[in-house]
Amino acid sequence: TGRDDTLLLSIGKAAQLLDVSERTVSRLIQRRDLPSIKIGRSVRIEMQALNHFLDNCRHYNESCVESAVRNPTGERACRIG
């Protein structure tokens, strides 16, 4: 059907989809920024959790752009909330 109905992703596959290293994905999991599921010794990431993570990043980035436009002092910090 051409549709990818993948429910769970390995760390490697998630890293590939995000175009980052496996170590970066592991750090996100350790910091609890990216929820994961342990099945035996395997760690898996739900596709829904990955999409939610990306949505959160998108909102964070949008607010950073807004604060940069409103803050001409050159301060690069972006604070949410």
Side-chain angles (χ1 to χ4, degrees), residues 35-76:
S36 64
I37 298 170
K38 210 164 178 195
I39 302 173
R41 293 183 182 185
S42 299
V43 176
R44 296 291 182 258
I45 298 118
E46 288 180 283
M47 183 58 95
Q48 182 179 4
L50 189 64
N51 287 328
H52 183 72
F53 171 78
L54 291 173
D55 284 341
N56 286 340
C57 288
R58 189 173 297 114
H59 293 303
Y60 174 83
N61 289 336
E62 287 170 358
S63 65
C64 283
V65 168
E66 290 170 7
S67 69
V69 170
R70 284 182 279 158
N71 186 359
T73 64
E75 183 181 338
R76 295 178 56 98

Side-chain angles (χ1 to χ4, degrees), residues 3 5 9 15-16 19 23 25 27-28 30 33 35 37 44 47 49 53 55-57 61 64-65 68 72:
R3 217 174 95 185
D5 292 331
L9 304 168
Q16 182 182 13
D19 196 23
R23 185 170 172 94
V25 173
R27 284 185 192 134
L28 291 170
Q30 288 173 347
D33 291 335
I37 298 170
R44 296 291 182 258
M47 183 58 95
F53 171 78
D55 284 341
N56 286 340
C57 288
N61 289 336
C64 283
V65 168

